[in-house]
Amino acid sequence: MTIGDAIETTSVTEELEPPRGRPLLPGEDPFYRSPIDPGSVAPGTILRSRPVRLALFGRISQRVRAWQLLYRSTDLNGAPEAAVTTVLLPWDAEPSADRPLVSFQCAIDAVAPKCFPSYALRHGARALGAIPQVEFPLIAAALARGWAVSVPDHEGIHGHFGAAREPGYRALDGLRAALRFEPLGLAPRTRIGLWGYSGGGLATAWAAELAAGYAPELDIVGAVAGSPVGDPAEAFVRLNGSPFAGFAMVFTSGLRRAYPELDGCVRTLVSEEYQGLLDGAESIATFPLLARYAGRNANRHIRGGLGALLTRPEMRAVLDDIRPGAQAPAMPMLVVQGVNDEVIAVADVDAHVRRYHERGAHVHYLRDRLSTHLPLQFIAIPVMVDWLADRLAGLPLPPSEVRTVWSVAASRRALREHAHFAALVATMLSGGPIRTRSDLR
C-alpha cells in the first residue's frame, strides 16, 4: 500500500495539537504545507487535521467543537493543491446524531492571510477588520440549528480573491473532507447545504454551478447566495473611485495572483505609485483597507486611463472568465439582494439570476427595498437560515420566481428568529456554549 492509498482509506491521517499562544499566520504555519504530493490522492482526501480553539474577534473564546482539515483540492487550471477548511459542531453535539452539513463561504474580500477564516476565527488571531470575524455569528446560527459546518478558505493558500471556479472547487472538496472526518460523525449521503453572502455569495454560486460536474456524489439540496456580486467586472469598474475603491484594488491584487498574464499587463500600465498601493493592499485586512483607499481612482495611475487596462486582451479574457452564471446549478437556490445596495448593484444580480433562469435553474430571488449591503446580511438571517433548513428537511420548494419586498424581515417568523439570533450573539459575547436550540431538538 502506498502512502497515497493509506491516506485515501482513512478519515484522519494526523492529529496536530494547536500551538500555544497566538496562532501562526498561514504562511508561517507548517500545518498548511502538505506532507505528500496532493496529486497522489483524490480530491477531498484529508492530508492533516488538528483541533482548534476559536474565538469571537480573536478574544472571546467560543465553546464549540472545532477542527481544521488540510485536504486535497484543485486550482484554477485543474492542478492539485492543498487547501484548508475549519469544521465545527455545536457544543452539545453527539457524533452519532443524524445531522446535515453546511458549507459557509465567508466574504473574505482580501488577500492578506490574516483574513483567511482558518486564521481569523482562531483564538488569539490578530485580524481586526477581517470579515470572517464579523460573520462568525452567522456560522453560530447554523450551529444553533444543530448542523455541522465547514468554513473553507475558498481563496486558497495564496489568496486568489476574485478567481473563477477555484472557490467552488475548494468548498466542494472541503465538504468531501468533512464527510470523511470521523469526529464529525457524518455519513457519505449526508444532506448538504451551501451558504454565503457578498464575496461568500459569489463563492457559493461557483460551488453551486460546479457541484454536479465536479462532485456529483455530494447530496447538495440547496444553496443560499446573498448579494452574490453578479458581475465582478462591472463591480470593479463601478467601485473604482468610490468610497469602496479598496475592493477594486484588492480585487486587482487577487486576480494578478491567480492569472500571471494579468500581472504583467498591470505592471506595464500602472504607475510605480499605484503598484506600491496594490502591493500594500495585499497585507491589509478588509475594513482598514476600505478606510485607507476610499475614493482612490485608478484612472490617475494608469497610462491611458482605466479604459486602456480594461481593453487589453489579457484583462478582457480574465473579466469574461470570472463572470458566474454560464452554467445552471443543479440544486435549488435562494438569492437575496438589496435593491438600494451601495456596494453590489442590483442590476448585476438581476442579470446573474436571469442567466440562471434562462438555463433552467430553480432560483427563488428576493429583492429587499430597504436594506443596504452590510445590514442585509444580518437582517436576512431568518429568511436565509429558514429556507436552507426547509431544503435540508426535504420540505416543498417555494416557486422559482423574482419577488421584490419592502423588507425580508417583515414577518412575525422573522422577528422571532431575530430574537433567537440576539440571544445567540449574547451567548457568544459571554463565552457561553453554542448548543442546538432547544425548540429545534
Side-chain angles (χ1 to χ4, degrees):
M1 178 181 290
T2 67
I3 189 170
D5 293 330
I7 291 177
E8 180 65 25
T9 56
T10 186
S11 297
V12 184
T13 65
E14 185 175 359
E15 286 291 343
L16 300 179
E17 290 297 326
R20 297 182 182 276
R22 294 190 181 278
L24 298 173
L25 285 166
E28 303 166 355
D29 190 338
F31 178 82
Y32 291 76
R33 295 192 288 273
S34 176
I36 64 165
D37 174 13
S40 66
V41 293
T45 300
I46 299 171
L47 304 170
R48 296 186 190 273
S49 68
R50 65 181 176 187
V52 288
R53 183 182 175 196
L54 305 184
L56 187 63
F57 299 110
R59 293 180 175 273
I60 305 172
S61 185
Q62 296 300 293
R63 295 174 70 184
V64 298
R65 302 175 63 193
W67 302 263
Q68 287 180 343
L69 310 178
L70 182 77
Y71 59 94
R72 195 273 214 200
S73 192
T74 303
D75 74 4
L76 176 66
N77 301 308
E81 64 166 19
V84 174
T85 188
T86 304
V87 293
L88 305 89
L89 286 174
W91 184 254
D92 59 342
E94 291 291 338
S96 60
D98 181 17
R99 70 181 72 254
L101 171 63
V102 170
S103 182
F104 183 86
Q105 286 63 244
C106 289
I108 302 170
D109 293 356
V111 299
K114 62 185 172 184
C115 292
F116 299 170
S118 62
Y119 176 80
L121 297 178
R122 291 186 64 189
H123 187 271
R126 292 181 172 177
L128 188 63
I131 293 180
Q133 293 191 337
V134 178
E135 291 187 316
F136 201 169
L138 281 76
I139 298 167
L143 294 172
R145 291 280 178 148
W147 303 339
V149 181
S150 171
V151 187
D153 288 5
H154 60 76
E155 288 184 7
I157 292 173
H158 302 294
H160 290 177
F161 176 43
R165 297 178 295 285
E166 284 188 346
Y169 296 142
R170 297 187 186 111
L172 296 169
D173 287 327
L175 288 165
R176 285 168 159 160
L179 292 177
R180 297 178 179 184
F181 188 58
E182 290 181 359
L184 294 181
L186 303 173
R189 293 300 294 172
T190 292
R191 293 171 73 83
I192 294 172
L194 305 172
W195 182 16
Y197 188 87
S198 192
L202 178 59
T204 297
W206 283 120
E209 289 187 29
L210 296 169
Y214 183 72
E217 80 281 7
L218 297 179
D219 187 16
I220 302 177
V221 297
V224 176
S227 195
V229 183
D231 190 332
E234 290 295 328
F236 168 76
V237 174
R238 187 180 62 259
L239 295 176
N240 176 58
S242 77
F244 303 97
F247 281 135
M249 293 190 65
V250 75
F251 180 68
T252 304
S253 295
L255 288 181
R256 66 180 187 162
R257 290 182 173 201
Y259 300 85
E261 66 276 16
L262 182 61
D263 184 47
C265 174
V266 170
R267 290 181 183 278
T268 299
L269 292 177
V270 306
S271 66
E272 288 188 12
E273 179 188 1
Y274 198 69
Q275 178 66 51
L277 294 174
L278 290 174
D279 291 342
E282 296 183 354
S283 61
I284 305 173
T286 307
F287 290 118
L289 176 87
L290 293 176
R292 181 176 299 187
Y293 296 118
R296 178 69 62 173
N297 193 330
N299 272 305
R300 302 172 185 172
H301 302 277
I302 300 175
R303 285 184 286 277
L306 192 59
L309 176 61
L310 295 176
T311 54
R312 287 286 292 263
E314 304 95 320
M315 188 66 163
R316 287 308 324 163
V318 170
L319 295 181
D320 290 342
D321 193 43
I322 63 176
R323 182 183 300 109
Q327 185 172 339
M331 76 291 295
M333 290 189 72
L334 170 69
V335 176
V336 180
Q337 172 64 31
V339 173
N340 297 303
D341 191 312
E342 76 282 22
V343 180
I344 305 300
V346 68
D348 290 347
V349 178
D350 289 349
H352 185 177
V353 171
R354 190 160 53 248
R355 291 194 293 274
Y356 280 161
H357 279 156
E358 290 169 352
R359 289 163 175 78
H362 186 110
V363 183
H364 188 71
Y365 179 29
L366 289 177
R367 303 162 85 249
D368 184 297
R369 292 185 185 276
L370 294 183
S371 298
T372 52
H373 188 72
L374 185 58
L376 182 61
Q377 180 170 22
F378 295 92
I379 290 171
I381 285 175
V383 69
M384 293 189 292
V385 175
D386 282 349
W387 186 93
L388 197 54
D390 288 348
R391 303 292 75 73
L392 293 168
L395 298 181
L397 275 169
S400 181
E401 64 177 0
V402 178
R403 290 181 55 210
T404 302
V405 298
W406 281 107
S407 174
V408 294
S411 72
R412 290 184 178 179
R413 182 175 180 180
L415 292 175
R416 286 196 301 270
E417 288 302 312
H418 275 298
H420 284 296
F421 183 68
L424 175 63
V425 172
T427 297
M428 297 181 76
L429 289 170
S430 67
I434 299 175
R435 306 180 188 274
T436 305
R437 279 171 40 182
S438 58
D439 61 316
L440 299 174
R441 291 194 181 104

